[in-house]
Amino acid sequence: MLHSLPKDDNYLHKGLRKQLVQTLREKGIKDERVLAAIETIPRHFFLDPAFERQAYEDRAFPIAAGQTISQPYTVAFQTQLLELKKFDKVLEIGTGSAYQATVLGELGVTLYTIERQKELYDYVGKFFFLKKYPNIRRFYGDGFEGLPSYAPFDKIIITCGAPFVPPKLLAQLKPGGIMVIPVGEDGKQKMLRIIKEPNGNIIEEEMGDFAFVPMLQGRNHK
Ligand code: SAH
């Protein structure tokens, strides 16, 4: 893939993005800042040039290393649940293509994002578009560990299907913070919104069924 080369973002792409945003509105996304971010970010930059049109369909798509770029609806839904404020300190598990990361970056938060696959981590490092977001910091590591030296975080978003809520991530969430995490096995997860109240109490809300690639233990060096 030609990730290191700048690509064109023309009126056709912009038109397709407007349609995508309309689709997301019809599916129930209401947060205007999230919709504006999706209207701004050229999602076709994240896919092979052969798939420019598919980039603006509301579906997940294969990227490098057997992984996927999340469906725009899922990205919008998870982001909306985070109730982000500018300058929030956010941890993302599963950088993948970095599309979700740029949506968060566009909203003005300080993002720490972790990817366990070396191949994807290196690939995204060559991506010219990320230079637009000095507020995104990328890490190669195991998301089950989080980033203890940068904790605590106002918000935590997990973009792979977790077998359980990782206790170390919950510990790295600030009191008053929100975690959004799909939990379950076999590409069938329940989206959970977990709120840590200021007194440390944990509240869990179920927000519907989703399908993610699995959250796997340890780093992959390939
Ligand atoms: N947010 C991404 C979604 C990519 S798919 C996007 O917008 O494109 C999920 C990603 O989670 C994959 O890249 C996968 O390698 C990564 N992943 C799975 N288990 C992980 C773990 N334990 N730590 C960090 N990343 C993990």
Side-chain angles (χ1 to χ4, degrees):
M1 293 201 210
L2 305 169
H3 231 137
S4 42
L5 299 176
K7 292 182 195 169
D8 169 41
D9 184 35
N10 63 34
Y11 69 92
L12 172 66
H13 304 119
K14 289 178 180 146
L16 291 170
R17 281 208 292 285
K18 274 200 195 307
Q19 283 173 26
L20 174 60
V21 164
Q22 189 50 34
T23 303
L24 297 179
R25 277 187 203 284
E26 284 160 15
K27 290 184 177 177
I29 302 298
K30 292 192 170 63
D31 189 324
E32 290 299 329
R33 296 167 312 153
V34 175
L35 293 166
I38 287 176
E39 191 160 339
T40 303
I41 299 167
R43 191 167 183 263
H44 67 284
F45 284 5
F46 296 75
L47 303 181
D48 193 277
F51 302 115
E52 288 210 340
R53 271 193 173 269
Q54 284 89 335
Y56 295 110
E57 289 171 12
D58 186 26
R59 59 185 182 111
F61 214 78
I63 52 168
Q67 297 303 322
T68 56
I69 177 169
S70 298
Q71 185 180 342
Y73 174 75
T74 305
V75 170
F77 187 74
Q78 284 194 283
T79 310
Q80 179 170 278
L81 287 179
L82 286 174
E83 293 175 11
L84 294 167
K85 295 194 216 48
K86 212 173 179 183
F87 307 124
D88 265 355
K89 194 169 149 191
V90 182
L91 175 66
E92 180 194 23
I93 310 302
T95 314
S97 68
Y99 178 67
Q100 169 77 71
T102 58
V103 170
L104 295 166
E106 193 63 43
L107 292 175
V109 307
T110 302
L111 180 67
Y112 298 76
T113 180
I114 310 179
E115 174 55 53
R116 70 176 284 279
Q117 294 216 44
K118 187 77 168 69
E119 186 185 339
L120 267 180
Y121 173 81
D122 289 342
Y123 177 64
V124 167
K126 298 187 196 116
F127 190 11
F128 67 92
F129 184 64
L130 278 190
K131 297 203 197 321
K132 192 182 159 197
Y133 300 97
N135 53 335
I136 298 179
R137 297 179 67 175
R138 297 183 312 111
F139 298 81
Y140 166 52
D142 178 5
F144 280 96
E145 300 297 321
L147 288 173
S149 46
Y150 296 95
F153 298 95
D154 298 298
K155 311 283 162 68
I156 301 182
I157 173 171
I158 289 83
T159 68
C160 36
F164 51 83
V165 178
K168 289 180 183 170
L169 294 186
L170 200 51
Q172 289 173 32
L173 186 63
K174 254 186 212 170
I178 300 177
M179 179 190 295
V180 174
I181 178 170
V183 179
E185 313 277 354
D186 292 321
K188 195 173 182 339
Q189 291 93 20
K190 294 243 180 271
M191 190 68 75
L192 300 185
R193 171 155 72 176
I194 299 175
I195 297 173
K196 191 188 259 187
E197 292 188 312
N199 64 7
N201 265 0
I202 300 293
I203 301 175
E204 249 184 53
E205 301 167 279
E206 266 191 34
M207 311 299 300
D209 293 325
F210 288 82
F212 284 81
V213 297
M215 181 173 184
L216 300 172
Q217 301 272 355
R219 296 195 297 184
N220 180 332
H221 295 262
K222 244 198 319 126

